[in-house]
Amino acid sequence: MKTTPEHNQRIAKMTFASVYPHYISKVEKKGRTKDELHQVIEWLTGFNENKLQEFIADKITFETFFQKANLHPNATLIKGVICGYRIEEIETPLTRQVRYLDKLVDELAKGRKMEKILRVT
């Protein structure tokens, strides 16, 4: 399933602050913690909790968020379907990176072991 230019643009302009509370809610409803969420985000992006809070306060877009990120080298091991899209087939790098994050949050909420989520080899 291909993403449309409109879809990609909407994701690029979405703020991290608008999605972050949904991430917390999703993982906490399933018995996981905010600290575990931060561990997953830090693994993917290199951003610690203080940096995330700064980004939330500044209302940065996902475009800026991922421009500043230092993606983990194993991020390409994140595969599967999220929001109706097969991650490894998404051509737009930013949209693929946002879906990486969505997939990790989803795996955390589903109770997957942290070493599996963080692609420890």
Side-chain angles (χ1 to χ4, degrees):
M1 187 176 227
K2 280 196 163 202
T3 59
T4 64
E6 296 81 15
H7 174 85
N8 295 331
Q9 192 62 19
R10 191 180 59 213
I11 285 179
K13 298 305 173 202
M14 200 178 319
T15 65
F16 177 74
S18 70
V19 178
Y20 178 72
H22 299 288
Y23 290 157
I24 291 174
S25 174
K26 183 174 188 168
V27 300
E28 287 182 342
K29 270 192 230 172
K30 299 292 185 163
R32 300 307 283 259
T33 66
K34 185 176 174 181
D35 286 341
E36 288 174 308
L37 174 63
H38 288 168
Q39 183 181 353
V40 167
I41 294 172
E42 187 168 355
W43 174 85
L44 179 64
T45 64
F47 301 138
N48 63 23
E49 185 174 354
N50 290 338
K51 199 65 171 165
L52 294 178
Q53 293 308 319
E54 182 184 312
F55 290 158
I56 290 166
D58 293 345
K59 293 183 171 50
I60 68 161
T61 63
F62 270 119
E63 185 172 37
T64 303
F65 182 87
F66 280 102
Q67 282 173 352
K68 293 177 181 278
N70 183 15
L71 277 193
H72 194 281
N74 287 349
T76 56
L77 299 177
I78 302 168
K79 301 195 184 310
V81 176
I82 190 80
C83 300
Y85 296 96
R86 180 154 291 285
I87 294 170
E88 54 272 31
E89 294 176 2
I90 297 173
E91 294 174 359
T92 306
L94 175 61
T95 303
R96 187 173 50 252
Q97 291 164 354
V98 172
R99 294 306 182 200
Y100 284 161
L101 180 55
D102 291 342
K103 184 69 173 176
L104 294 178
V105 171
D106 196 49
E107 290 176 356
L108 182 63
K110 287 182 176 176
R112 196 164 194 209
K113 290 181 180 177
M114 193 59 80
E115 54 270 8
K116 295 276 190 192
I117 296 170
L118 303 183
R119 276 51 182 184
V120 175
T121 54

